Amino acid sequence: MTQLVTGDEIRAIEAYTITDGALSAEVLTERAAMAALNVLAAGHFDLSKVLVLAGLGGNGADGIALARLLHQAHIPVTLQFVGNLKRANQAVLNQLKAANAAGVSRSEKSDFKEPSLIVDAIFGAGLNKDLPEGLQKMVKAANHIDNTVVALDLPTGIDADTGEVRGAALNAKATIAFGFEKAGCARGQGKKMAGRVMTQNIGLITPTDFTFSIQ
Ligand SMILES: NC(=O)C1=CN([C@@H]2O[C@H](COP(=O)(O)OP(=O)(O)OC[C@H]3O[C@@H](n4cnc5c(N)ncnc54)[C@H](O)[C@@H]3O)[C@@H](O)[C@H]2O)[C@H](O)CC1
Ligand SMILES: [K+]
């Protein structure tokens, strides 16, 4: 039986890993990107033209790191930042610096029919309100096109705890869950939108006395 976690629980486990485990968020982000690379490179996805959509928080940092690793593995990849760069967190800015230094190609606006695979790294477990109008439009447009979306951690727009759609949500063929599957991928609409959930170990340290609310 897969252990499910809520958004608060994954944040508590990540915080414990960083403070008591002395592993940095940067290490966890790189571990997440490498785990995602392994899944994508396992042969079940067409990597002939990958588009990574990255947001302004931790999920975006994972996606930008993954774009860099794909590029360095000579996989054709384009990175599109989604959101207001001025509001991006430091992890995202650092990952963008590394991606640019590595020569990852960027796009401002993409035709979602073009890519053989779209990686959704816009929002993950930190989604806390409905998507902004503009993003809802983009998500709905992307859902109308016959393409393959792989979501990092959760499909953008799905609430990590309830699985509710927050305005709009990307329809993913598969979701790569970091550390633990989020409850939102096993409940409500989230169960459908997440597609096949593949939980990957990223080296999180769970406190020995941690009690999971979902048994
Ligand atoms: N924390 C860690 O050590 C690791 C996290 N991982 C990845 O990080 C995300 C969670 O990151 P977080 O920054 O908490 O949230 P998101 O990236 O999902 O969201 C970004 C940011 O956006 C704001 N926001 C939330 N909802 C909305 C909205 N509807 N409209 C606009 N803005 C919104 C909010 O401030 C969020 O903080 C997790 O899923 C993992 O992918 C690493 O994988 C491991 C280390
Ligand atoms: K996502």
Side-chain angles (χ1 to χ4, degrees):
M1 176 55 191
T2 324
Q3 177 61 59
L4 300 174
V5 292
T6 62
D8 285 345
E9 288 173 340
I10 193 67
R11 278 184 286 278
I13 293 168
E14 282 164 358
Y16 180 78
T17 303
I18 293 166
T19 46
D20 293 60
L23 288 174
S24 66
E26 288 79 9
V27 162
L28 292 174
T29 300
E30 292 297 319
R31 287 287 303 267
M34 289 190 292
L37 178 70
N38 287 342
V39 169
L40 295 185
H44 311 290
F45 299 101
D46 177 353
L47 303 182
S48 51
K49 193 174 165 61
V50 181
L51 170 66
V52 176
L53 301 174
L56 44 70
N59 201 241
D62 291 350
I64 299 163
L66 173 59
R68 183 183 87 245
L69 299 186
L70 287 164
H71 177 72
Q72 291 177 319
H74 308 294
I75 290 163
V77 58
T78 301
L79 170 62
Q80 178 177 334
F81 181 76
V82 176
N84 178 349
L85 203 47
K86 287 195 284 299
R87 296 191 44 221
N89 74 11
Q90 193 55 47
V92 163
L93 297 176
N94 293 347
Q95 287 294 342
L96 283 173
K97 204 166 170 201
N100 292 339
V104 174
S105 58
R106 302 285 295 275
S107 78
E108 293 310 309
K109 191 167 172 7
S110 313
D111 170 357
F112 292 148
K113 288 191 288 293
E114 280 285 293
S116 60
L117 178 73
I118 297 173
V119 174
D120 161 25
I122 304 173
F123 288 121
L127 188 73
N128 57 24
K129 50 185 183 290
D130 284 2
L131 299 184
E133 270 305 307
L135 186 53
Q136 288 194 33
K137 281 201 183 69
M138 187 179 119
V139 164
K140 286 169 183 166
N143 283 344
H144 267 100
I145 296 164
D146 178 21
N147 54 32
T148 303
V149 173
V150 172
L152 298 191
D153 219 22
L154 280 136
T156 289
I158 293 295
D159 182 283
D161 299 348
T162 63
E164 280 162 326
V165 171
R166 303 301 309 261
L170 275 173
N171 212 349
K173 184 165 182 225
T175 295
I176 301 171
F178 299 128
F180 295 90
E181 180 174 344
K182 308 318 174 278
C185 290
R187 291 173 174 167
Q189 284 275 74
K191 188 169 170 52
K192 194 167 62 71
M193 311 293 265
R196 185 159 158 248
V197 180
M198 296 174 278
T199 305
Q200 297 294 301
N201 176 18
I202 62 166
L204 291 175
I205 303 168
T206 305
T208 41
D209 58 351
F210 193 82
T211 42
F212 292 93
S213 62
I214 304 166
Q215 297 303 334

